[in-house]
């Protein structure tokens, strides 16, 4: 669907440029944008290499493990049905820590591993996402970030005078989004429990 939308927008842009006599401007803009995309990719690869390297160092130094243990009570609060020593707990914790530090690239592998571990807990409906999987996805999307590395990199690439000015607003926005996610997860569980209780009574 997205491919069709993008293709439609490109075709409309070319047709509009042709009908208005600005086809040369459209071609120049396409070439300039292609060059900017390559520059941005190179910049982001460097930043990704830096931060994933730092993440690996922190992991080998035991910092990530310590942070993971530190947020274990938070994980237990949100995912009480996951067994205490289940691998999903460590993957979820690692994903949360990486997201908080703004290391979205490092968070992705941990998130995929967490989803795979959570899927192994589902015995009855293996073709459907479990409540824990949905809750983890909601939490991952809300993603509290203390250092929005990607946005800082984008702002720096496009000539922002103060690329880090986004840090304060980003912390505020992601704090509210994460709080909303936590409230939604807990309220949804209460509603589901009440629904099952009333269903049993009837």
């Amino acid at each position: 669907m997205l491919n069709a939308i993008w293709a439609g927008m490109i075709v409309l842009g070319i047709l509009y440029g042709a009908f208005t006599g600005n086809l040369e401007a459209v071609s120049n803009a396409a070439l300039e944008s292609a060059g900017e995309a390559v520059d941005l990719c190179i910049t982001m690869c460097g930043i990704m290499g830096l931060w994933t390297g730092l993440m690996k160092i922190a992991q080998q130094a035991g910092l990530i493990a310590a942070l993971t243990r530190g947020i274990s009570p938070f994980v237990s609060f949100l995912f009480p049905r996951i067994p205490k020593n289940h691998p999903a707990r460590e993957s979820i914790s690692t994903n949360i820590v990486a997201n908080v530090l703004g290391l979205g690239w490092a968070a992705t592998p941990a998130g995929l591993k967490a989803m795979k571990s959570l899927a192994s807990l589902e015995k009855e409906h293996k073709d459907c996402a479990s409540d824990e999987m949905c809750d983890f996805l909601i939490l991952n999307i809300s993603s509290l970030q203390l250092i929005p590395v990607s946005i800082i990199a984008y702002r720096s690439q496009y000539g922002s005078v103060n690329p880090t000015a986004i840090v304060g607003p980003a912390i505020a926005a992601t704090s509210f989004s994460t709080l909303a996610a936590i409230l939604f997860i807990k309220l949804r569980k209460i509603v589901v429990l009440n629904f099952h209780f009333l269903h049993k009574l009837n």
Side-chain angles (χ1 to χ4, degrees):
M1 184 61 183
L2 286 176
N3 289 337
I5 292 173
W6 281 110
M9 291 173 63
I10 292 171
V11 171
L12 286 175
I14 294 172
L15 291 176
Y16 181 80
F19 282 117
T20 57
N22 294 313
L23 194 56
E24 183 178 354
V26 173
S27 300
N28 291 335
L31 292 174
E32 290 176 6
S33 298
E36 288 182 6
V38 172
D39 291 339
L40 182 60
C41 286
I42 293 172
T43 301
M44 296 307 294
C45 281
I47 294 171
M48 180 176 66
L50 171 65
W51 283 101
T52 51
L54 290 174
M55 185 74 172
K56 189 68 176 179
I57 293 171
Q59 187 176 12
Q60 292 182 354
L63 179 60
I64 300 300
L67 292 172
T68 298
R69 288 192 298 271
I71 65 170
S72 181
F74 174 73
V75 174
S76 297
F77 171 71
L78 286 181
F79 305 96
R81 291 179 57 191
I82 301 178
K84 288 292 182 182
N85 296 320
H86 196 274
R89 284 179 169 270
E90 183 179 352
S91 299
I92 290 172
S93 299
T94 303
N95 176 268
I96 293 172
V97 169
N99 274 325
V100 168
L101 296 177
L103 308 177
W105 306 286
T108 300
L112 294 174
K113 190 175 180 181
M115 279 295 190
K116 186 175 181 179
S117 297
L118 291 172
S120 67
L121 290 172
E122 189 63 29
K123 303 299 182 183
E124 296 181 2
H125 307 287
K126 293 186 177 181
D127 295 333
C128 300
S130 65
D131 289 344
E132 284 72 26
M133 294 171 72
C134 293
D135 292 343
F136 173 65
L137 182 61
I138 293 168
L139 184 65
N140 188 64
I141 291 172
S142 66
S143 183
L144 170 65
Q145 285 193 359
L146 298 180
I147 310 172
V149 177
S150 299
I151 303 302
I152 292 173
Y154 292 142
R155 287 169 59 85
S156 178
Q157 176 70 15
Y158 288 104
S160 174
V161 177
N162 186 9
T164 57
I166 195 66
V167 171
I171 291 174
T174 55
S175 295
F176 280 112
S177 65
T178 302
L179 179 61
I182 293 171
L183 290 174
F184 178 81
I185 289 170
K186 301 308 290 185
L187 288 174
R188 187 187 64 81
K189 287 182 178 179
I190 293 172
V191 171
V192 170
L193 286 174
N194 287 336
F195 174 80
H196 287 311
F197 177 72
L198 292 174
H199 183 72
K200 286 181 180 179
L201 289 177
N202 294 331

